[in-house]
Amino acid sequence: MADADKNYDYKCESEEERKKRLHLKALDVPFVPGVYIMHDKDDKIIYVGKALSLKNRVRQYFGSQKGMEPKVIAMVSHIADFEYVLTGSEAEAFAFESNLIKELRPRYNILLKDDKHFPYLRADLRQDYPRFEVVRRIKQDGARYFGPYISGFTLNESLEAIRDHFPIRHCKKDIAKAIARGERPCLMYHLGRCCAPCSGKIDRERYHGMIDEVVAFLEGNTERLLDELREQMNEFAEQLDFEQAAKLRDEIKKLEKEESDHE
């Protein structure tokens, strides 16, 4: 457990110093499930939240506020410090968060309605060809949920990255029926942004291999994707296809910048 600093005089620092201190502290948060607890300058607990990846969640608060809801911006402006508790699973974090909220009734949990109106990415990984969709509520339906995203900008960035680098499907088609009808691939396939499972272009095992990569990406593991892009870039360069190599170079720079912005 990482505790808030009880001996630090938060009232004496400037707003710029506060933001920098919290940003740097967020860098040390691990990529594991847990519960985070926000304190104000009087050491009063003002918000409690849970996360599958504590680092991904906490750093959202102290990064760009573009697309962040006004109530969240107001809460962040009152955060003087935070602490977190590691848990063994997302379910354990959910139970711990629920108990703390009931016991402490933090102000912003009440104002923000326990994050229920924030968007999540949902995928039912039990399906043969799952897709990721944006939802507003978590249901006990056996699917995987990623989020909540406190900023619409952060959510859109994640969706754009998935669509750019992982050619999984985003349509709502019944894949089994589409294959039975002998459907042809849509435009997204020809643009290289979908592997066309509806036309039988990819089997279940290979498709789930891509889904595993998307899950790793959403959980904060971008290094695997960067390694693959660097390898592809080098292959294009060796083939003297400098146009494709340059495109991949730009994509790598974009991903590296996004990662550094989060750190």
Side-chain angles (χ1 to χ4, degrees):
M1 173 176 176
D3 296 321
D5 188 347
K6 310 297 184 182
N7 299 316
Y8 187 80
D9 188 355
Y10 304 113
K11 298 178 183 179
C12 291
E13 68 180 350
S14 67
E15 179 65 7
E16 184 177 349
E17 289 171 336
R18 181 189 72 90
K19 290 180 178 179
K20 183 176 181 180
R21 174 175 55 79
L22 291 172
H23 174 77
L24 291 174
K25 184 173 181 178
L27 297 183
D28 293 328
V29 178
F31 289 105
V32 294
V35 170
Y36 55 95
I37 303 164
M38 303 299 194
H39 296 251
D40 67 10
K41 64 181 183 301
D42 297 315
D43 199 31
K44 184 176 180 179
I45 294 175
I46 59 174
Y47 188 74
V48 174
K50 68 179 183 308
L52 175 62
S53 172
L54 278 169
K55 185 165 190 171
N56 283 350
R57 179 65 45 72
V58 171
R59 68 186 183 183
Q60 285 185 39
Y61 290 102
F62 309 119
S64 170
Q65 293 187 337
K66 185 176 181 180
M68 191 179 289
E69 297 194 16
K71 287 182 180 179
V72 181
I73 294 175
M75 180 192 74
V76 172
S77 71
H78 287 93
I79 297 173
D81 204 356
F82 65 87
E83 57 186 317
Y84 56 88
V85 180
L86 309 184
T87 61
S89 66
E90 188 176 18
E92 186 181 334
F94 178 84
F96 187 34
E97 176 211 38
S98 179
N99 289 334
L100 282 178
I101 291 172
K102 289 177 182 177
E103 178 184 349
L104 302 171
R105 292 188 60 79
R107 178 188 178 198
Y108 281 99
N109 283 94
I110 297 171
L111 290 176
L112 299 175
K113 298 180 181 179
D114 298 345
D115 274 350
K116 288 180 181 176
H117 67 296
F118 292 136
Y120 294 78
L121 282 178
R122 174 190 180 275
D124 188 346
L125 304 184
R126 299 166 300 180
Q127 295 180 352
D128 288 338
Y129 299 98
R131 68 187 183 90
F132 287 83
E133 61 179 335
V134 178
V135 297
R136 292 279 172 174
R137 302 255 179 164
I138 292 181
K139 298 179 180 179
Q140 300 303 315
D141 57 1
R144 282 289 304 275
Y145 289 83
F146 302 87
Y149 289 85
I150 62 174
S151 161
F153 178 72
T154 305
L155 172 61
N156 290 332
E157 273 191 331
S158 296
L159 285 172
E160 183 180 350
I162 291 172
R163 288 168 179 155
D164 284 347
H165 303 296
F166 306 99
I168 60 173
R169 76 182 184 106
H170 298 278
C171 68
K172 298 181 180 180
K173 287 182 180 180
D174 185 313
I175 299 299
K177 290 181 179 178
I179 293 175
R181 288 193 297 264
E183 288 193 11
R184 293 182 178 180
C186 68
L187 177 62
M188 299 304 289
Y189 171 77
H190 296 290
L191 292 175
R193 294 169 71 89
C194 180
C195 56
C198 60
S199 300
K201 297 290 186 182
I202 187 170
D203 60 30
R204 185 185 189 282
E205 183 178 358
R206 287 172 56 210
Y207 188 88
H208 271 263
M210 282 195 296
I211 290 294
D212 289 344
E213 292 180 356
V214 176
V215 169
F217 173 77
L218 290 173
E219 290 178 345
N221 182 9
T222 60
E223 198 55 41
R224 183 194 307 180
L225 174 58
L226 285 168
D227 287 342
E228 291 178 2
L229 291 176
R230 292 184 187 110
E231 184 176 343
Q232 292 174 19
M233 179 184 69
N234 291 333
E235 289 176 358
F236 280 123
E238 290 174 1
Q239 297 166 10
L240 304 183
D241 189 342
F242 299 117
E243 181 178 354
Q244 289 298 322
K247 288 181 180 179
L248 287 175
R249 178 202 62 206
D250 294 341
E251 288 295 325
I252 291 169
K253 287 183 178 179
K254 180 181 177 182
L255 279 172
E256 289 176 335
K257 182 179 185 303
E258 290 174 0
E259 180 64 20
S260 65
D261 286 344
H262 287 149
E263 292 181 350

